[in-house]
Amino acid sequence: MFTNFAEFRNCIKGHSFSSFWIVVEKNENMLFFNLSLKEDIPKYAVSVSNDLILNASFMGERISKYKKVILPIKVNNLNEIFDILEYLEKGTIVESESSLNDKIHVIESVIKNAEDTFTDKNKFFFEFFLEQLHLLKCKPERYRYPPNILVFASFFCFMSPQAYKFLRNSHYMILPDPSTIRKIGTILKNSPQTEEYTNFLVYAKHAFHSLKDDDLKVLLMIDEIHIKPFLDYKGGNIAGMAYNSSNLATSVQVFMLQSIFSPYKNVIHIVPIDTFDASKLFGLMKKVVMGLEEIGFKVMGMVTDNNSINRAAASNFANPPKLQVKYDHSADKSRPLFYVIDSVHILKCVRNNWLNNHKNGYYFYYPDFDTLNVSTASLSSVRELYDLECSSLLKFGYGLTRKALWPTNLERQNVKLALKLFSTDVVHASNELGEKYNLECYEQTAKFINIISTCWDIVNVKTPDKGKFKRNPMCEPLTSSPSDKGLMFLIQLVSWVNKWENLDSNNGRLSKDTFLALNHTTQAFIEIVNHCTKSFKKEYILLGKIETDKLESRFGQYRSMAGDQYHISVRQIYEIESKLRLCHELKLASHKKGSITVDIFDNSEKNDEEKQPIDLIFCDIMVEESDIEK
């Protein structure tokens, strides 16, 4: 027995050790080596420090356990030392059993010691690497995942379940089982199906507590998505019935909140329907508006497409029913409730009206924007322009495509194709080539396209810097200043639409519904700009937020996450929306940017048309068979 290092040294002097060990005393430490060198490293090493702490290592790696003893330990008799020396000399620890945990401990120690040298960019990577090392030391049934890995795995699994399954089966990293991820969604209970009859707007109530004041001033986007009539039973419940009848649902009415002063947007209610008339839709719209007001949101208005049922439902907010730009708010008569017809839908309607004028030779007879003299816009002239340039490598109207000028019924729903027609590039091309090739009515056609293009530039501003980025003053956010160019254009546009509608002509004009929608929405934008700048003291308003394109984008996510199907079922919409809500709740942590909310697929505030599509640049480059590697 010994109680200090001096007594230990005296005890060990009278003992002879096997030739297997070399004993060295240095700096009040007793060292035992086996010099069977491999890779210039002693195979075994045992040390006893001056405070009698015993450590052991194998091939330079610390041994954390032998038999049932946890190392390092404090020794007080020689038998403990002789026991571990004999244990190692017998080769109980061999290279193939060199304790994976000990090696992992060494790697973790090295990484943690170098933590100060990590940058913000790679710190998360090393934390993830350390967590994976820690999981290697556990049995699968004892895996415990940190929050960041659970969030990352949830995003990955929701975006592509098959890719997630492939990655787990490859064993390149340790990730939670899909059943574990499904349990997270079950715990949060964010499925929109529970809101159909009970727990009305419960998700909106939950989201309300984490929102800022600007997030609460919202517009209610309303649209429907057509689905496959399908009844299915899963998990103890049946989905697929219309909420307002005993029939199968043929479409789903979706309500989305879009803040007019912040990036906040979220789907808050989903209702499967069969057939809907204006009175039933009005009842549902009013119920949602009043429910949101009770929660604490300030609903400033509603945005729908130009469907006659939507207009009739909105007109019921007046007594007697009448379509108006603004109504007395149901929750507070002193506040206005605006009604806007979606500008994206109107743009497609104008293009479709032009395409439908085939009996009239594809002509529009419209008043000049400045002089109000009757002018003629010819779609045939634009098509001829395309034919002239389609085989050229360099083009003036490089955005024009065959799909834009001869779209199918399905392609008519694509606003990007409409924007290829109503583009300043087509205006420049017509002015440059019209006289040279004697194109019909090319100047007046260019003026008409320029009017629609300018209107779109004004109403599609979603970021404050778009005007500077585009070098286009019409892309600046609107203000209530009388000298604001965008506002002046909208005021003049109302007069122009009225003049066009009153022309004595039954041909070459917009449909009655399109005239109504264009006039109504232009006036609504003017009223909203004046109201927001005066009532909320805002310097500018982004009209691009008063569109349903974010809701249409959500419909695209539904179809994409359901396996790229066009007609999906009610069950699929419920499950996908539940995943999207879950991803909105879960947040990834960043050392540099803090908490990060991830929107699956997209949903940045940038405009799609700001990105130059590659296919427009390379659309006329031919690839021969010899260019392809065999």
Side-chain angles (χ1 to χ4, degrees):
M1 296 288 293
F2 46 81
T3 58
N4 55 52
F5 188 80
E7 293 179 1
F8 165 64
R9 183 192 300 140
N10 292 332
C11 291
I12 212 161
K13 283 182 179 178
H15 186 82
S16 60
F17 292 92
S18 159
S19 59
F20 184 85
W21 296 104
I22 297 176
V23 183
V24 177
E25 181 183 352
K26 186 175 182 180
N27 298 331
E28 295 191 354
N29 283 274
M30 192 69 68
L31 306 176
F32 302 85
F33 291 105
N34 173 259
L35 293 180
S36 301
L37 295 179
K38 183 176 181 181
E39 298 179 358
D40 299 326
I41 300 174
K43 189 172 184 180
Y44 296 106
V46 179
S47 65
V48 180
S49 62
N50 60 349
D51 53 358
L52 302 180
I53 300 299
L54 184 145
N55 283 283
S57 65
F58 172 76
M59 298 297 297
E61 298 177 8
R62 189 178 68 86
I63 299 174
S64 59
K65 184 178 181 181
Y66 87 96
K67 295 182 180 179
K68 295 184 179 181
V69 179
I70 304 298
L71 298 179
I73 61 171
K74 187 169 184 178
V75 294
N76 57 14
N77 65 75
L78 291 179
N79 289 334
E80 292 176 322
I81 300 174
F82 296 154
D83 188 33
I84 189 171
L85 293 178
E86 183 180 0
Y87 178 80
L88 297 176
E89 186 175 349
K90 289 180 178 179
T92 307
I93 297 180
V94 296
E95 186 172 356
S96 60
E97 300 173 352
S98 58
S99 181
L100 176 63
N101 289 353
D102 292 330
K103 291 185 176 181
I104 292 175
H105 178 80
V106 173
I107 298 172
E108 289 175 338
S109 300
V110 172
I111 293 176
K112 289 178 181 178
N113 290 336
E115 188 174 0
D116 295 338
T117 64
F118 299 157
T119 63
D120 290 334
K121 187 176 181 179
N122 57 24
K123 188 170 288 187
F124 180 77
F125 166 77
F126 283 106
E127 286 183 358
F128 181 81
F129 184 62
L130 285 173
E131 293 293 347
Q132 291 290 297
L133 289 175
H134 177 73
L135 292 172
L136 280 175
K137 297 189 291 186
C138 305
K139 295 180 179 179
E141 59 270 17
R142 298 182 63 86
Y143 284 161
R144 297 295 182 270
Y145 300 96
N148 268 356
I149 288 184
L150 284 173
V151 173
F152 167 77
S154 298
F155 288 145
F156 195 174
C157 186
F158 294 156
M159 285 188 284
S160 179
Q162 292 301 319
Y164 184 77
K165 181 179 179 182
F166 171 79
L167 184 61
R168 287 190 76 250
N169 292 339
S170 69
H171 303 294
Y172 282 119
M173 61 177 65
I174 301 173
L175 293 172
D177 188 88
S179 61
T180 304
I181 296 174
R182 285 194 293 270
K183 289 178 183 177
I184 299 174
T186 304
I187 293 171
L188 291 179
K189 296 181 180 179
N190 57 4
S191 173
Q193 186 175 3
T194 61
E195 303 175 9
E196 190 174 329
Y197 299 102
T198 60
N199 299 323
F200 182 64
L201 297 180
V202 65
Y203 180 68
K205 293 176 185 177
H206 172 73
F208 171 78
H209 300 290
S210 61
L211 299 179
K212 300 178 181 177
D213 186 57
D214 278 349
D215 299 334
L216 302 179
K217 298 174 179 63
V218 296
L219 293 166
L220 186 62
M221 309 292 174
I222 307 170
D223 203 354
E224 64 176 342
I225 177 173
H226 294 285
I227 61 171
K228 177 183 178 181
F230 187 78
L231 190 67
D232 70 313
Y233 175 85
K234 182 180 180 181
N237 63 76
I238 299 174
M241 298 296 296
Y243 101 104
N244 60 330
S245 72
S246 59
N247 300 326
L248 292 177
T250 57
S251 59
V252 170
Q253 199 80 29
V254 182
F255 296 81
M256 171 183 267
L257 291 184
Q258 166 72 67
S259 172
I260 196 170
F261 301 134
S262 77
Y264 174 73
K265 57 187 177 297
N266 224 335
V267 170
I268 49 92
H269 196 48
I270 293 176
V271 181
I273 59 176
D274 177 21
T275 55
F276 232 32
D277 57 27
S279 61
K280 292 180 180 178
L281 179 57
F282 166 71
L284 185 57
M285 291 165 66
K286 186 174 181 180
K287 181 180 179 182
V288 173
V289 170
M290 296 300 292
L292 291 170
E293 289 284 337
E294 290 176 6
I295 293 170
F297 289 94
K298 300 297 181 183
V299 182
M300 298 175 57
M302 303 167 294
V303 184
T304 70
D305 61 24
N306 196 27
N307 189 294
S308 58
I309 295 178
N310 293 331
R311 297 199 308 267
S315 67
N316 285 322
F317 280 93
N319 189 16
K322 180 183 178 182
L323 184 64
Q324 299 175 184
V325 169
K326 61 180 178 180
Y327 303 91
D328 292 337
H329 204 292
S330 302
D332 183 356
K333 298 297 183 182
S334 64
R335 288 165 46 203
L337 181 67
F338 294 98
Y339 174 62
V340 182
I341 298 173
D342 183 29
S343 57
V344 177
H345 188 263
I346 294 173
L347 179 74
K348 292 186 287 187
C349 287
V350 173
R351 188 274 315 273
N352 293 341
N353 285 180
W354 205 1
L355 292 172
N356 293 337
N357 265 329
H358 54 86
K359 293 182 180 179
N360 190 40
Y362 299 103
Y363 293 118
F364 264 161
Y365 303 113
Y366 71 96
D368 185 272
F369 200 73
D370 298 317
T371 65
L372 298 183
N373 295 326
V374 178
S375 302
T376 303
S378 172
L379 180 62
S380 299
S381 174
V382 182
R383 288 176 171 176
E384 188 176 350
L385 175 66
Y386 167 76
D387 291 335
L388 290 171
E389 290 196 308
C390 65
S391 59
S392 302
L393 183 61
L394 298 178
K395 306 176 182 180
F396 287 101
Y398 68 90
L400 278 178
T401 63
R402 186 171 186 82
K403 286 185 177 182
L405 295 172
W406 290 275
T408 63
N409 289 334
L410 186 61
E411 290 167 347
R412 287 189 179 204
Q413 300 179 32
N414 190 341
V415 69
K416 293 181 181 179
L417 294 179
L419 290 174
K420 292 180 188 297
L421 175 59
F422 297 119
S423 167
T424 54
D425 300 317
V426 179
V427 174
H428 298 326
S430 295
N431 290 330
E432 288 291 336
L433 303 178
E435 183 177 2
K436 180 179 178 181
Y437 292 100
N438 196 26
L439 297 178
E440 183 182 23
C441 305
Y442 70 91
E443 288 182 323
Q444 297 171 8
T445 302
K447 286 183 178 180
F448 175 76
I449 292 175
N450 188 57
I451 293 170
I452 305 301
S453 175
T454 303
C455 177
W456 177 254
D457 288 341
I458 295 170
V459 303
N460 194 47
V461 178
K462 299 177 183 176
T463 56
D465 298 327
K466 184 179 178 181
K468 297 181 179 63
F469 176 77
K470 290 279 191 177
R471 297 182 180 179
N472 184 352
M474 290 302 185
C475 291
E476 294 287 348
L478 285 191
T479 67
S480 59
S481 170
S483 60
D484 187 285
K485 292 183 179 180
L487 189 63
M488 292 171 61
F489 182 90
L490 292 182
I491 294 173
Q492 189 176 356
L493 183 67
V494 174
S495 300
W496 178 75
V497 173
N498 290 332
K499 178 67 176 178
W500 190 4
E501 188 175 10
N502 294 328
L503 286 179
D504 294 330
S505 174
N506 294 325
N507 297 320
R509 54 192 285 122
L510 299 175
S511 67
K512 182 179 178 181
D513 287 344
T514 305
F515 271 127
L516 173 65
L518 183 56
N519 194 329
H520 177 96
T521 294
T522 306
Q523 293 186 53
F525 283 152
I526 297 171
E527 292 285 347
I528 290 173
V529 170
N530 291 329
H531 173 72
C532 291
T533 52
K534 292 177 183 178
S535 300
F536 301 109
K537 308 301 180 184
K538 298 295 181 180
E539 296 181 3
Y540 59 83
I541 300 299
L542 302 174
L543 294 184
K545 291 183 175 292
I546 314 176
E547 295 175 356
T548 61
D549 59 337
K550 292 299 180 185
L551 186 51
E552 293 289 348
S553 176
R554 183 63 67 99
F555 292 167
Q557 291 182 31
Y558 292 161
R559 294 184 176 111
S560 180
M561 295 179 69
D564 291 324
Q565 303 177 62
Y566 186 79
H567 291 293
I568 56 181
S569 68
V570 174
R571 172 79 66 187
Q572 288 172 317
I573 291 178
Y574 284 153
E575 292 182 348
I576 294 168
E577 181 59 36
S578 180
K579 292 178 182 179
L580 294 173
R581 288 180 176 183
L582 179 61
C583 290
H584 185 79
E585 295 296 323
L586 299 176
K587 299 179 187 297
L588 285 172
S590 166
H591 289 280
K592 189 173 183 180
K593 298 185 178 180
S595 182
I596 302 172
T597 300
V598 177
D599 278 339
I600 294 183
F601 290 108
D602 143 340
N603 287 343
S604 63
E605 290 296 328
K606 292 184 178 179
N607 300 322
D608 292 334
E609 63 269 21
E610 291 180 9
K611 303 172 185 176
Q612 185 67 0
I614 294 178
D615 62 301
L616 295 183
I617 300 174
F618 297 104
C619 58
D620 290 313
I621 295 180
M622 302 299 295
V623 180
E624 304 293 342
E625 290 186 4
S626 59
D627 296 325
I628 304 174
E629 295 182 3
K630 303 294 184 182

